[in-house]
Amino acid sequence: MALPLADELTADAPALPAGVTLRSFRGDADLAVFVDIANAANREDDVEERATLEGLRNWAGFPSRTFNAADDLVVAEADGRPVGYGWTSWVDNSDGSRDYMTRGHVHPDWRRQGIATAILHRNEARLRALAAEHAVETPRMFSAFAPESRLGAVALLQGNGYRPVRWFFDMVRPDLEDIRVPDLPEGLEIRPVAGREQLRQLFDADVEAFRDHWGGFDATDAAFEQWLADPDYDPRLFVVAWDGDEVAGAVVNVINEQENAEFGRRRGLLDSVFVRRPWRGRGLASALVARSLVLLRDEGMTSAWLGVDADNPTGALHLYEKSGFAVDRRASAYRKPLEVD
């Protein structure tokens, strides 16, 4: 259960500017303003992501045990209009730890007035309360994520005791020419997913494969339904390798038309690249990536990008470099200890 916002603020939380208050989330009317706040922040910070109302509705519209917009979203309001917002969630990690995550955006016109710090303090209070309710013995920590170009966010996190613990790269292949397509490993074939049952099979295979990676991944029914409802979801773009009735590996590709229009490009995203353990070490990942690049080119794209953990244990960074990708942008995951009274 969420605490009243006034009770969630710690004693050392900074005073908000005159006329600014924190309040709970009020639904669709807030989401429409969140689009403007997030996109203004991304432009200011040179982050090549763009929010849409449909995407935020999907994000806020699937309550789960780890995120519920009614309890986990906080809005900073001035003169009756949101000027910033923050949110919390939590996830169990592959190493047995649990991350209690804080994120947020403040409109550039309202920065450097203590609003982001107040949101961070509120989020930490909310997460401490959740951690006390959970009463688990696993190691627990606050966590956050920030691209290196978000200078204010990086300074805020480091000034409040967070330290970088993992680094991530956005990688770009600047053209889709001269794509070498390796043969598939023997016994495998590329087939589309057919129907809801196979889509769930693909979703579960993706989550299973990433259990060998750093961090945590939501495998709940709510997460599956949210994936299906994503406005950029298009199974025509998925490249799936089957071994009989088993998903051996896949690339879940995405084309974001709004971002392409804003940036004047035709770029596709290899959103998730995975191979399950029994099929690793046979060249399947390279074959899937190459076929994805061809698919994106056939869809009219002229470049591609993906995100990768710099210390990925399966050697993904080297694979992507061999496939023509180069590091374009960097981001870090931050953590600090979470102590519960």
Side-chain angles (χ1 to χ4, degrees), residues 50 255-267:
R50 294 297 179 265
I255 294 174
N256 188 311
E257 296 290 358
Q258 175 171 324
E259 290 177 1
N260 280 340
E262 174 151 346
F263 295 112
R265 65 191 183 200
R266 301 293 297 164
R267 180 171 293 175

Side-chain angles (χ1 to χ4, degrees), residues 314-333:
T314 62
L317 179 60
H318 181 59
L319 162 68
Y320 300 144
E321 290 173 335
K322 287 181 61 177
S323 300
F325 290 85
V327 174
D328 182 59
R329 293 165 184 267
R330 294 170 172 81
S332 299

Side-chain angles (χ1 to χ4, degrees), residues 20-101:
V20 178
T21 58
L22 295 184
R23 63 163 173 80
S24 300
F25 176 59
R26 293 178 182 166
D28 213 52
D30 280 344
L31 293 178
V33 187
F34 289 0
V35 172
D36 294 336
I37 294 170
N39 288 339
N42 288 339
R43 293 185 184 101
E44 180 76 8
D45 296 334
D46 191 28
V47 174
E48 293 189 351
E49 298 174 7
R50 294 297 179 265
T52 65
L53 181 56
E54 294 77 13
L56 289 184
R57 281 173 175 158
N58 187 52
W59 164 62
F62 287 86
S64 72
R65 68 191 184 101
T66 63
F67 172 76
N68 183 336
D71 295 333
D72 295 316
L73 263 167
V74 62
V75 182
E77 183 178 77
D79 300 323
R81 181 177 175 83
V83 297
Y85 64 100
W87 66 98
T88 60
S89 60
W90 59 271
V91 67
D92 286 323
N93 297 313
S94 55
D95 63 1
S97 64
R98 178 172 288 181
D99 272 359
Y100 289 84
M101 298 179 288

